[in-house]
Amino acid sequence: MNSIKVMSPFDGKVLDEIPLSNEEDIDLALDRARKVYEKQELWLPKYERIAILEKTVEIMSSRIEELTLIAASEGGKPYMDSKVEVERAINGVKLAIEHMGVFEGKEIAMGHTKSSVNRIAYTMKEPIGVVAAISAFNHPLNLAVHQTVPAIAVGSPVIIKPSESTPMSAINFVNILYEAGLPKAWCQVVVCHREVAQYLATSPKIDYLTFIGSDAVGWYLNSKVSPGTRVGLEHGGVAPVIVEADADMVALIPALTKGGFYHAGQVCVSVQCIFVHEDICDEVGLKLAQAAKKLIVGDPLDPKTEVGPLISHHEVKRIESWVNEAILGGAKVLCGGKRISESCFEATVLLDPPRDAKVSTSEIFGPVVCIYPYSDIEDAFKEANRLEYSFQAAVFTQNIDTALLAVKRLNGTTVMVNDHTAFRVDWMPFGGAKASGLGMGGIPYSMEEMSKEKLMVIKSSAL
């Protein structure tokens, strides 16, 4: 059987060797999942699902250090942030348990026309069917939770395909689910190359596809799924931020620093394009550069590290080429701008790169933020909205009218006021529109996506 070596993105150390699945393996996994879904006598009662998820929380809570080290080692996210990810993942399981208590249908009004008298109607929730989950590298444990636990909670069997770069966290999590008592057919993990992943995603045996990754791949898969397959896509964007002249500088700089350089910028809502009023543009650029220079870049397993490596050497080279293109076009480097090693890139702040440069038009997914001056906020809104992305955006101002205007004008599906774009809690709706994605994530929202409503109408002369 073919296999892949999972290596540390920081130093190239081999962490594990994982068997690769082929199309035959995918068919076996799909057949197991379809069997338990199509035979309702095999469905897990809600109380059993709750007990399994509660046991999962218990096991994960006893292994926080182990889970943290696995995620940090394979993904390169610094230890301090990987530990937060583990705690979020545990809370995500708790959120699913809590939402199961309010996951319900409703009465549909009858009798307000003559044709609908003597009837009563209710909707009820049922599992959508077999879920295929294709995941990304940047949050290897928390994304696995977000793409599998909602399915398990609503009673849909799920097959997860983690990133080839970071499969260990997902594999370990699925084994924890088994240890907690989940029968294997209800959650299976497959590690495979892109062609085999496409075979899974486009199979007529699945009912829902959840995909987290690049927009090119996501929209391609969306065009290839079998008829009737519901699809959820989470891509990314350029996370525009508008900073007005009255912004609180003391709060602003730490927020932009965290939002821009958290996980080396490898976050789908990482701060990227910052539009700053010309009256304070130089000050913001100077202070943000000063803060970025102080960040500790290096070994993700060192508890002091704040910015880890890029996921691959290829990504370091890509970031370097994008930054060089912007510099040649006239961007001023306020700090950084160069690779530190084959795996790490300096925290970089660029001032006024060309509007047609890649750093201005595409998701950087690296430790680079760009600052652009403006004089009229309406022009800033137009610049922020000019690309085909619509995910999370932000505005910093102490004027409530300006804040509300920004919320109205900005195209983001979420607009933060006086906070960075990378803020998220796992019970809020999270997802993009336009090129940024399709559908909505967040534990409760994913549970809705992975289920379907059935309407029951009863006719009776007693009504």
Side-chain angles (χ1 to χ4, degrees):
M1 179 181 290
N2 292 330
S3 63
I4 57 168
K5 291 180 179 179
V6 182
M7 296 184 290
S8 162
F10 177 67
D11 59 15
K13 177 184 177 183
V14 176
L15 304 173
D16 202 353
E17 189 165 350
I18 308 293
L20 281 171
S21 296
N22 55 32
E23 292 185 2
E24 184 178 337
D25 298 320
I26 299 298
D27 280 329
L28 288 172
L30 286 166
D31 289 342
R32 290 189 202 103
R34 289 230 64 87
K35 179 180 178 180
V36 294
Y37 176 69
E38 291 174 357
K39 293 187 177 182
Q40 290 194 7
E41 60 269 25
L42 297 177
W43 287 12
L44 297 175
K46 185 181 288 188
Y47 68 88
E48 285 190 17
R49 284 178 262 150
I50 290 172
I52 290 166
L53 293 177
E54 287 177 339
K55 183 64 176 178
T56 299
V57 168
E58 181 184 326
I59 296 170
M60 293 177 74
S61 299
S62 70
R63 299 177 189 172
I64 290 177
E65 183 70 9
E66 175 190 339
L67 295 169
T68 299
L69 291 174
I70 292 173
S73 296
E74 67 173 347
K77 185 188 295 180
Y79 175 90
M80 64 174 72
D81 293 322
S82 289
K83 190 167 187 177
V84 172
E85 177 181 343
V86 172
E87 291 167 347
R88 278 183 59 189
I90 294 170
N91 189 56
V93 183
K94 292 179 181 178
L95 288 170
I97 298 169
E98 292 170 3
H99 193 64
M100 289 173 74
V102 294
F103 189 65
E104 54 195 18
K106 62 183 180 181
E107 181 179 0
I108 305 299
M110 291 287 163
H112 63 288
T113 62
K114 187 175 181 180
S115 63
S116 64
V117 297
N118 301 122
R119 290 171 177 85
I120 190 169
Y122 293 95
T123 63
M124 60 194 79
K125 298 291 181 66
E126 289 189 347
I128 193 170
V130 175
V131 172
I134 298 180
S135 203
F137 75 85
N138 53 340
H139 308 292
L141 178 60
N142 202 40
L143 292 183
V145 166
H146 273 258
Q147 291 180 285
T148 61
V149 168
I152 295 164
V154 303
S156 288
V158 56
I159 300 168
I160 181 169
K161 183 269 174 192
S163 166
E164 293 171 65
S165 301
T166 57
M168 294 164 53
S169 292
I171 292 170
N172 189 51
F173 176 66
V174 172
N175 284 332
I176 287 174
L177 289 171
Y178 297 158
E179 187 178 341
L182 184 71
K184 292 187 176 181
W186 289 96
C187 185
Q188 302 171 78
V189 58
V190 294
V191 179
C192 56
H193 293 317
R194 177 174 292 187
E195 296 78 11
V196 180
Q198 180 177 330
Y199 182 77
L200 169 65
T202 59
S203 171
K205 297 178 182 178
I206 72 166
D207 302 283
Y208 182 78
L209 170 65
T210 165
F211 171 87
I212 301 176
S214 74
D215 57 342
V217 176
W219 291 118
Y220 173 77
L221 291 177
N222 184 62
S223 72
K224 297 294 183 180
V225 295
S226 293
T229 302
R230 189 186 297 175
V231 178
L233 306 175
E234 183 185 308
H235 301 148
V238 297
V241 179
I242 292 177
V243 180
E244 272 282 76
D246 64 354
D248 179 353
M249 198 69 67
V250 174
L252 171 71
I253 300 303
L256 293 181
T257 303
K258 185 65 177 180
F261 301 111
Y262 161 65
H263 197 10
Q266 298 172 116
V267 180
C268 59
V269 286
S270 178
V271 169
Q272 178 171 331
C273 294
I274 309 172
F275 302 94
V276 184
H277 193 279
E278 59 186 8
D279 289 351
I280 61 168
C281 190
D282 289 342
E283 181 184 6
V284 170
L286 175 64
K287 290 185 175 180
L288 183 57
Q290 289 173 338
K293 288 177 184 177
K294 294 177 182 177
L295 294 170
I296 300 172
V297 183
D299 186 352
L301 297 183
D302 186 337
K304 295 179 182 178
T305 296
E306 296 168 286
V307 180
L310 277 297
I311 191 63
S312 70
H313 296 173
H314 171 77
E315 287 298 290
V316 176
K317 293 176 183 177
R318 179 185 61 79
I319 297 298
E320 183 178 47
S321 70
W322 285 24
V323 169
N324 287 340
E325 177 201 39
I327 295 171
L328 287 172
K332 181 179 179 181
V333 180
L334 300 184
C335 71
K338 297 179 181 178
R339 68 166 70 188
I340 297 172
S341 64
E342 285 190 310
S343 60
C344 295
F345 198 87
E346 292 179 320
T348 298
V349 180
L350 301 177
L351 177 61
D352 207 15
R355 296 301 197 271
D356 61 351
K358 290 185 180 68
V359 298
S360 301
T361 59
S362 301
E363 185 178 24
I364 295 174
F365 226 61
V368 180
V369 298
C370 304
I371 295 176
Y372 309 85
Y374 73 87
S375 57
D376 185 333
I377 195 170
E378 290 293 344
D379 291 334
F381 293 145
K382 290 177 184 176
E383 281 296 309
N385 291 337
R386 74 186 178 98
L387 302 176
E388 287 299 307
Y389 298 108
S390 180
F391 212 146
Q392 300 201 161
V395 59
F396 285 83
T397 179
Q398 297 186 70
N399 185 310
I400 186 63
D401 292 333
T402 303
L404 293 174
L405 179 65
V407 172
K408 183 178 180 180
R409 289 276 199 272
L410 288 168
N411 283 344
T413 51
T414 300
V415 179
M416 308 294 174
V417 177
N418 294 325
D419 204 351
H420 62 73
T421 56
F423 171 77
R424 181 186 183 184
V425 289
D426 296 312
W427 57 87
M428 75 186 224
F430 184 79
K434 300 171 70 176
S436 291
L438 184 67
M440 203 58 68
I443 296 293
Y445 299 87
S446 292
M447 289 174 65
E448 296 291 337
E449 293 263 325
M450 295 177 183
S451 62
K452 58 186 178 183
E453 280 195 326
K454 179 179 283 185
L455 175 67
M456 174 180 66
V457 182
I458 299 174
K459 183 180 181 181
S460 171
S461 59
L463 293 171

